[in-house]
Amino acid sequence: MPTPIDSGSGNEKRVFKTFPLTTPHPGYAQFIQWAASRNKHVAFLSSSGIHTDPYSETDAILATGIREQICVPETSAAFEVLKEFTTLQQDWIFGFLSYDLKNQLEDLTSSHADGVEMPLMHFFVPQHLFIFRNNRVEIGMVGTDDQEPDHETLFSEVLSYSPPSPRHKGVTVQHNVKRDEYINTVKKIKEHIQKGDIYEANYCIEFYAEDAVIDPVETFLNLNRNNPAPFSCFYRYEDKYLLSSSPERFLAKRDNMLISQPIKGTIRRGSNAKEDQALKQQLANDPKERSENVMIVDLVRNDLSKTAMDGSVAVRELCGIYSYTYVHQMISTITSSLREDIHFIDAIKECFPMGSMTGAPKIRAMQIIEECESTRRGLYSGAVGYITPWHDFDFNVI
């Protein structure tokens, strides 16, 4: 069905046409390579062939090219800008939220160095949209009442694209937190827990490489082949790239239902079926992992309650065990019904950032994280996703 677009001309619409894909389980490599070679703005979100998510609506989705966009600096009220943008653009919208948006939501600051310098927030309406479902691709292009878009030519262009040979040189990954500093920081966080300041905290250090030369698309494809994840993401923003192998959903909306699925609790896969089952059972019964998961479930319940209809917040699954290529993970699912008087962007705002990446209570944990970490997280711990013309959305955890 055509999707109306409020672009000022009054007669533009996004028209979809479906094409079969010849391979039984496409890796989408041809589409991503074509998109990244043609455009400075690309968003690709994929389930990586993992079909355990009952709330998934696509196998993968690719957006490329810019019709309209917002790039929000720290001096602007980012969520208000996004709210206005989604009101004006009645079309598919893709973008990301950086972790440091927290400073606009609470009395928090960030003074550490940021080596990547992605924007605080970026969202765009794509020129071309590719939705992959069941070995088919639905291509969405913008046309007018007078001129239908040429889907066939675009599809042929993608299939005929021949990428250049990937460029790589040796990459040396390093970090700037010494072992003794790391251990002392962990002890400091444990003291906060013992004092009752927090129940848990997610402490991170940055790994980086300088003067790296890689092929971003090929690196992402290798990452996704080696570690397929249900919320993986490739994002190009001008000369910067995000390559993410994410297992976790931050927040989704289906009609008026919000869905959040925090992960706390991980264990390796076994070398055989018997050991694998024993490790799953070990994770399911681990009191430390379960208590961490339950604490974040309570945090998410509280976040959702701020925008929920009375009595609608529900834990659909508590501490479910899900198996991936290298690990088993403990995932809980919490849902709520969004109140009619609440803007859907405010639902995202009230839940951001994901509690599994901060700790609990969220605000105090973020304060302690800022004291203990030595670099800004930037996009890490943020979210990438899309918003539909009917204001459903789906965002991962980076």
Side-chain angles (χ1 to χ4, degrees):
M1 294 292 291
T3 300
I5 302 172
D6 184 3
S7 62
S9 63
N11 68 340
E12 289 188 329
K13 59 184 182 297
R14 188 175 294 278
V15 180
F16 285 86
K17 188 166 185 176
T18 302
F19 297 86
L21 296 171
T22 55
T23 53
H25 176 60
Y28 316 116
Q30 188 85 359
F31 290 86
I32 308 169
Q33 289 163 337
W34 168 84
S37 72
R38 295 291 192 269
N39 299 281
K40 291 185 177 181
H41 299 88
V42 178
F44 175 73
L45 298 154
S46 176
S47 65
S48 304
I50 297 170
H51 299 294
T52 56
D53 175 19
Y55 303 102
S56 177
E57 293 189 329
T58 67
D59 296 329
I61 190 165
L62 170 67
T64 182
I66 293 284
R67 287 181 54 78
E68 301 287 345
Q69 67 175 321
I70 52 169
C71 184
V72 184
E74 293 192 21
T75 53
S76 298
F79 283 97
E80 292 305 309
V81 173
L82 179 57
K83 193 182 297 186
E84 181 179 359
F85 187 67
T86 60
T87 300
L88 292 174
Q89 307 297 327
Q90 298 298 311
D91 195 1
W92 291 77
I93 299 171
F94 293 74
F96 62 75
L97 312 166
S98 293
Y99 174 74
D100 285 315
L101 281 166
K102 65 182 176 59
N103 301 335
Q104 295 192 3
L105 304 179
E106 306 293 346
D107 186 17
L108 299 167
T109 59
S110 296
S111 58
H112 298 310
D114 178 2
V116 180
E117 297 182 340
M118 276 283 204
L120 197 63
M121 173 190 285
H122 178 252
F123 280 85
F124 70 98
V125 176
Q127 289 183 334
H128 304 310
L129 179 62
F130 302 82
I131 301 174
F132 302 92
R133 296 186 183 98
N134 302 320
N135 294 322
R136 298 181 182 87
V137 59
E138 302 166 42
I139 301 179
M141 301 174 66
V142 174
T144 66
D145 291 342
D146 301 323
Q147 184 174 2
E148 288 288 314
D150 188 352
H151 297 84
E152 287 79 4
T153 297
L154 179 63
F155 187 55
S156 297
E157 180 186 328
V158 174
L159 293 185
S160 62
Y161 175 71
S162 179
S165 299
R167 296 186 307 120
H168 299 284
K169 79 173 185 179
V171 173
T172 302
V173 177
Q174 55 189 315
H175 59 81
N176 56 13
V177 178
K178 295 180 180 178
R179 178 181 172 83
D180 288 346
E181 180 186 350
Y182 182 88
I183 291 172
N184 289 333
T185 300
V186 171
K187 289 178 179 177
K188 179 180 177 182
I189 294 171
K190 289 174 73 174
E191 289 174 3
H192 280 291
I193 294 172
Q194 289 160 357
K195 290 177 183 178
D197 295 334
I198 52 173
Y199 303 116
E200 60 177 306
N202 188 323
Y203 167 52
C204 302
I205 64 175
E206 179 185 70
F207 289 78
Y208 65 95
E210 296 180 326
D211 301 319
V213 177
I214 66 170
D215 183 288
V217 175
E218 190 64 27
T219 303
F220 170 75
L221 294 172
N222 285 333
L223 171 66
N224 210 29
R225 278 191 291 265
N226 290 326
N227 187 38
F231 296 96
S232 65
C233 174
F234 173 91
Y235 199 104
R236 179 176 183 182
Y237 173 78
E238 297 182 354
D239 64 342
K240 305 179 191 296
Y241 297 83
L242 166 69
L243 319 178
S244 174
S245 181
S246 174
E248 187 171 11
R249 171 180 275 126
F250 161 49
L251 192 67
K253 178 177 174 287
R254 303 288 181 259
D255 296 325
N256 78 324
M257 181 173 69
L258 298 175
I259 306 114
S260 185
Q261 295 180 295
I263 294 177
K264 278 293 179 186
T266 304
I267 200 168
R268 67 179 177 87
R269 295 295 302 265
S271 58
N272 55 60
K274 184 176 180 181
E275 182 188 27
D276 201 48
Q277 186 59 37
L279 288 167
K280 283 178 68 174
Q281 201 61 42
Q282 180 182 332
L283 176 59
N285 296 329
D286 188 309
K288 182 257 188 188
E289 303 284 24
R290 291 188 70 89
S291 64
E292 280 197 50
N293 195 291
V294 168
M295 280 188 277
I296 297 304
V297 167
D298 281 342
L299 183 155
V300 171
R301 289 173 64 228
N302 180 68
D303 285 348
L304 289 175
S305 70
K306 298 171 186 176
T307 61
M309 296 173 58
D310 289 347
S312 68
V313 178
V315 179
R316 301 284 180 175
E317 183 178 31
L318 184 64
C319 299
I321 306 299
Y322 290 80
S323 300
Y324 300 104
T325 303
Y326 296 112
V327 295
H328 304 292
Q329 294 194 298
M330 186 180 286
I331 305 175
S332 293
T333 299
I334 309 99
T335 65
S336 68
S337 298
L338 184 65
R339 291 205 327 257
E340 291 184 0
D341 62 319
I342 299 291
H343 195 286
F344 72 96
I345 294 298
D346 288 327
I348 300 172
K349 176 181 175 181
E350 293 294 347
C351 291
F352 190 83
M354 183 58 145
S356 62
M357 301 299 284
T358 61
K362 186 189 286 189
I363 297 173
R364 187 67 182 111
M366 289 191 291
Q367 290 171 338
I368 292 169
I369 285 169
E370 191 68 27
E371 295 169 8
C372 294
E373 295 180 358
S374 57
T375 55
R376 284 201 188 196
R377 292 189 178 184
L379 266 188
Y380 181 70
S381 303
V384 169
Y386 65 86
I387 300 168
T388 71
W390 48 94
H391 296 163
D392 280 357
F393 58 74
D394 211 341
F395 285 87
N396 74 355
V397 177
I398 303 171

